[in-house]
Amino acid sequence: MRWYTAVGVKMESAGGAFLVRVGEDTKNLLGVECYVWNTLLWTFAEETKIYGRMVRLLELSFPGQPEKTDIDQEEFSLCLRRLLARGLVVCRENETMEGVAEVFLKAAHVACVGRTWGERFLSFCESIAEGNPLQESVRVFQKKTQEKANEELLREIRGSGKEGFPLEGAEGEILQAVLELYKSKLLFIQSIKEGFVA
């Protein structure tokens, strides 16, 4: 089976452009590329499942708006190939998701998802504005279970600088902890070592 995942860290843009930093480069994503990249973020997806997953996510994000959710398979395939060529998505053959996750992560530099206090406060305000109870809204300020259990590792990853934390040679508990943090949306795959192409 052929598996895919997104590479890079989404950046904020004053002009509203969808930017992703991969290593030292910042790349602009356009149109359907944004949807494909987001579909593959924080997951290892089997090739035949990506398109359906993307369509389901779009339908949840834009209910009753077929102009935003009707993306044909050909356009999707073109965008996926472009993302692969630009290094924003990587793929590998493997029999299991666990096996491919290990391969991807051992070739990766990871970075922490940085949610500032301001971003958390904005999420809190949006939650209150949507009518959610205070008790539920205040959860944005609490650490996730994975954050608490892996504080030392996260501190080390945060301290690794702009190039990210290298996982080459990582084994056992560290690799498993990184996988759980990635699946919990607490880490990005910031870059993949050169030469790691499909």
Side-chain angles (χ1 to χ4, degrees):
M1 287 187 279
R2 201 167 174 84
W3 299 83
Y4 292 75
T5 194
V7 176
V9 178
K10 185 174 181 324
M11 307 295 292
E12 293 300 318
S13 163
F18 194 103
L19 303 176
V20 175
R21 188 181 80 228
V22 178
E24 297 293 317
D25 299 328
T26 301
K27 302 181 182 195
N28 192 2
L29 276 67
L30 301 170
V32 177
E33 288 179 336
C34 303
Y35 302 146
V36 176
W37 187 83
N38 271 321
T39 299
L40 293 170
L41 185 61
W42 293 310
T43 191
F44 303 101
E46 202 268 311
E47 185 172 39
T48 60
K49 307 260 193 283
I50 302 169
Y51 177 74
R53 180 184 169 106
M54 180 191 73
V55 170
R56 280 191 306 282
L57 289 172
L58 287 173
E59 287 170 349
L60 288 170
S61 299
F62 305 109
Q65 298 179 45
E67 68 279 2
K68 292 186 178 182
T69 60
D70 288 346
I71 297 166
D72 65 39
Q73 185 83 36
E74 190 175 314
E75 185 177 7
F76 161 78
S77 296
L78 176 68
C79 288
L80 183 59
R81 285 193 306 273
R82 251 194 335 254
L83 291 170
L84 276 165
R86 295 174 68 197
L88 292 159
V89 167
V90 291
C91 68
R92 270 290 186 267
E93 296 276 342
N94 206 297
E95 290 303 312
T96 66
M97 190 276 293
E98 293 77 15
V100 83
E102 184 175 331
V103 170
F104 282 139
L105 290 175
K106 283 185 174 183
H109 283 228
V110 294
C112 290
V113 173
R115 286 182 45 199
T116 64
W117 189 88
E119 290 170 327
R120 289 176 192 247
F121 183 71
L122 181 61
S123 293
F124 168 76
C125 292
E126 288 171 351
S127 182
I128 290 291
E130 290 172 2
N132 294 323
L134 179 63
Q135 199 171 19
E136 184 179 314
S137 299
V138 81
R139 288 183 183 155
V140 298
F141 297 109
Q142 298 170 347
K143 287 186 176 183
K144 292 183 175 183
T145 306
Q146 291 293 335
E147 282 180 285
K148 292 176 187 171
N150 294 289
E151 277 188 75
E152 192 174 314
L153 177 59
L154 285 167
R155 195 173 311 117
E156 194 174 337
I157 293 170
R158 275 188 207 97
S160 63
K162 199 172 186 177
E163 61 278 346
F165 184 78
L167 292 171
E168 192 168 4
E171 296 289 338
E173 286 182 25
I174 290 179
L175 197 59
Q176 189 59 40
V178 168
L179 177 58
E180 291 305 316
L181 290 167
Y182 180 73
K183 288 163 116 183
S184 297
K185 301 179 181 177
L186 294 169
L187 295 178
F188 285 107
I189 294 177
Q190 182 170 311
S191 63
I192 295 280
K193 70 180 179 182
E194 282 191 43
F196 190 88
V197 290

